[in-house]
Amino acid sequence: MPIERLAFQGLRNLAPLDLRLQPGINLLLGANGSGKTSLLEGIHILAMGRSFRTQQLKHAISHDADALSLHARIGGDPPLPIGVRRQRSGSELEMRMAGERVARVAQLVEALPLQLINPDAFRLLEGSPSSRREFLDWGVFHVKHDFFEVWKGVRRALKHRNALLRHGRMDDRSLAVWEYELAQWGERLDVLRSDYMTAFVPVFEETLAALLPLPDLTLRYSRGWDRQRSLIEVLKQGRDTDRQMGFTQQGPQRADLRLRIERRPAVEVLSRGQQKLVVSALKLAQGRLLERQTGRRCLYLIDDLPAELDARHQQVFCQWLETMRCQAFITSVEPQALRDTWQPNTQFSVFHVKHGEVAPDDSVALTHGTKDFTTE
Ligand SMILES: Nc1ncnc2c1ncn2[C@@H]1O[C@H](COP(=O)(O)OP(=O)(O)O)[C@@H](O)[C@H]1O
Ligand SMILES: [Mg+2]
């Protein structure tokens, strides 16, 4: 569902803003340092409960403000107001949906499925497995209802088993209890992830073929433990070495996505530009699969597309976004960038970002002073 309205206060260098938005493409144009990435960051915090720029949300609070507060109204019948607030003096992110406090970030994530493509995106291939696991689990979370419960079960069991391993107690009976739990939840998580990947791989291959034909590239899900053995077997047999290491070495917490070209990791073979295209294909494919499996569209935040992709690939990328009819926020420093890319029937608006002020291209007056419409 698209964001219809966005109101921010106390975010980085941005002046208080209140914007009405189109469901389609929203282009954010402005010089370096004007506040474009901050605007995307605000949407990301609203949708994910965290920033993509900093681990500590207090860094995102404007230097001269006591708090940041971000609100959005998500279109639908009825529309859904969501809001988050983080005080400089506090430590917690307060979250509200439809006027009610919510305790879990997962509720925000569910309300606003979001994909980010920015200059760090290529790290998905290069970086640690945890970023690929997060990518995979984003997809599973949005299409499988029981994912969150199963994932929490894994986390709880793993935490207890690791604590027992670390304390070096030879209490095999307690270990067995948590191994049983971990095996039950872990096998379920593997089924969910593996089913998701079965559906995902062909969509990814099709998307990649349009962006960058790499017929030798393979994408495979690796579940995190020996393919021939059950998880309970692996855990029982691994007790001694796990005790020495002080943590559980195999299991769903080690799952990964393997991208290879003729048996070599794709990241060793591809140029940086090609890596960006592969990552773009992965992220577009997740949006396409989400739509196919749930009828919901996800929101794309694309920071500096022209720096990411050359003109021809930008064109193909934008065509996919258009056919997916997703709401997208795309930033650029070039005033004329991406203006002529779109089909006549694509909803398209331009915003200028200048010294922290965000104004629609048609010079519609900006409403200053943000009203909290989450309680409307
Ligand atoms: N907490 C903050 N308070 C006020 N200004 C900030 C804060 N953090 C960063 N800035 C400033 O915000 C400006 C906008 O940054 P950014 O959104 O990255 O711009 P753009 O993406 O348009 O290049 C930068 O000049 C930066 O120095
Ligand atoms: Mg930027």
Side-chain angles (χ1 to χ4, degrees):
M1 290 296 167
I3 299 177
E4 293 177 343
R5 192 169 161 192
L6 207 54
F8 291 172
Q9 248 178 348
L11 176 64
R12 303 252 183 212
N13 73 327
L14 293 177
L17 61 85
D18 188 345
L19 301 173
R20 285 167 201 279
L21 299 167
Q22 294 291 330
I25 307 295
N26 295 278
L27 208 53
L28 310 169
L29 304 176
N32 283 322
S34 56
K36 304 178 300 297
T37 303
S38 302
L39 192 69
L40 300 191
E41 184 184 21
I43 301 173
H44 194 277
I45 297 170
L46 260 175
M48 311 282 279
R50 62 181 169 79
S51 166
F52 56 83
R53 290 175 127 181
T54 170
Q55 303 271 15
Q56 293 196 23
L57 268 186
K58 67 167 188 270
H59 296 317
I61 303 173
S62 303
H63 297 317
D64 57 359
D66 295 329
L68 76 81
S69 80
L70 314 171
H71 295 105
R73 191 170 62 216
I74 304 172
D77 192 16
L80 177 67
I82 61 172
V84 301
R85 186 177 161 81
R86 168 70 158 83
Q87 260 165 316
R88 192 181 289 284
S89 56
S91 58
E92 179 200 359
L93 184 71
E94 291 167 36
M95 302 173 281
R96 299 185 86 86
M97 279 171 75
E100 304 275 331
R101 280 288 285 269
V102 296
R104 292 193 177 285
V105 173
Q107 287 170 270
L108 292 180
V109 177
E110 192 176 6
L112 208 55
L114 176 144
Q115 291 281 352
L116 169 72
I117 299 178
N118 72 353
D120 288 337
F122 65 89
R123 287 188 212 279
L124 187 60
L125 302 192
E126 193 183 78
S128 70
S130 64
S131 55
R132 288 181 293 279
R133 242 181 345 262
E134 199 179 298
F135 172 84
L136 163 65
D137 286 344
W138 182 98
V140 190
F141 173 80
H142 283 291
V143 301
K144 309 271 186 189
H145 289 300
D146 47 351
F147 169 81
F148 193 50
E149 187 207 348
V150 174
W151 182 83
K152 278 191 299 185
V154 166
R155 230 179 41 162
R156 190 178 56 240
L158 189 63
K159 203 176 93 188
H160 283 283
R161 186 176 189 265
N162 283 344
L164 288 171
L165 292 171
R166 264 198 308 279
H167 293 134
R169 283 197 221 123
M170 303 304 275
D171 181 358
D172 279 358
R173 203 159 338 135
S174 309
L175 259 187
V177 170
W178 290 111
E179 278 165 6
Y180 176 79
E181 280 279 309
L182 181 53
Q184 297 285 308
W185 291 113
E187 296 279 0
R188 273 181 73 184
L189 186 55
D190 172 46
V191 171
L192 294 177
R193 285 172 169 167
S194 150
D195 285 354
Y196 178 78
M197 286 307 289
T198 304
F200 179 73
V201 168
V203 182
F204 165 67
E205 286 173 351
E206 190 189 24
T207 315
L208 184 69
L211 275 175
L212 173 76
L214 280 174
D216 296 331
L217 185 133
T218 55
L219 168 63
R220 197 174 64 78
Y221 159 65
S222 152
R223 68 178 181 171
W225 73 93
D226 194 337
R227 265 192 288 174
Q228 314 301 329
R229 292 187 297 161
S230 67
L231 184 52
I232 193 74
E233 236 181 295
V234 166
L235 293 172
K236 279 191 174 144
Q237 289 169 5
R239 261 184 210 174
D240 290 341
T241 48
D242 284 357
R243 269 204 186 97
Q244 281 162 16
M245 301 295 286
F247 66 96
T248 307
Q249 293 173 83
Q250 291 194 61
Q253 77 283 4
R254 302 294 296 271
D256 199 356
L257 299 178
R258 301 260 154 82
L259 286 117
R260 292 215 158 94
I261 294 177
E262 290 172 352
R263 301 206 179 165
R264 290 173 61 197
V267 71
E268 288 177 10
V269 183
L270 300 176
S271 72
R272 183 61 40 100
Q274 288 174 315
Q275 290 175 36
K276 287 176 178 176
L277 285 167
V278 171
V279 172
S280 302
L282 284 166
K283 298 201 168 193
L284 285 175
Q286 273 205 323
R288 295 179 64 207
L289 186 59
L290 177 76
E291 215 264 334
R292 200 175 288 184
Q293 295 197 332
T294 67
R296 301 180 71 202
R297 301 204 177 100
C298 72
L299 191 88
Y300 280 87
L301 303 181
I302 299 155
D303 205 9
D304 210 0
L305 183 68
E308 293 300 288
L309 306 179
D310 61 45
R312 189 174 69 80
H313 287 114
Q314 277 177 45
Q315 193 76 31
V316 183
F317 181 92
C318 292
Q319 278 164 4
W320 276 113
L321 274 184
E322 272 181 311
T323 47
M324 289 160 68
R325 295 197 290 132
C326 287
Q327 190 178 37
F329 295 83
I330 308 176
T331 71
S332 175
V333 285
E334 293 160 32
Q336 289 309 314
L338 301 167
R339 280 185 182 249
D340 311 321
T341 307
W342 314 99
Q343 306 285 333
N345 59 351
T346 294
Q347 276 179 304
F348 168 68
S349 21
V350 176
F351 294 88
H352 294 283
V353 189
K354 201 171 171 186
H355 304 307
E357 303 269 352
V358 185
D361 196 44
D362 57 9
S363 312
V364 172
L366 215 153
T367 344
H368 277 288
T370 313
K371 190 165 147 251
D372 180 352
F373 53 80
T374 52
T375 49
E376 266 175 15

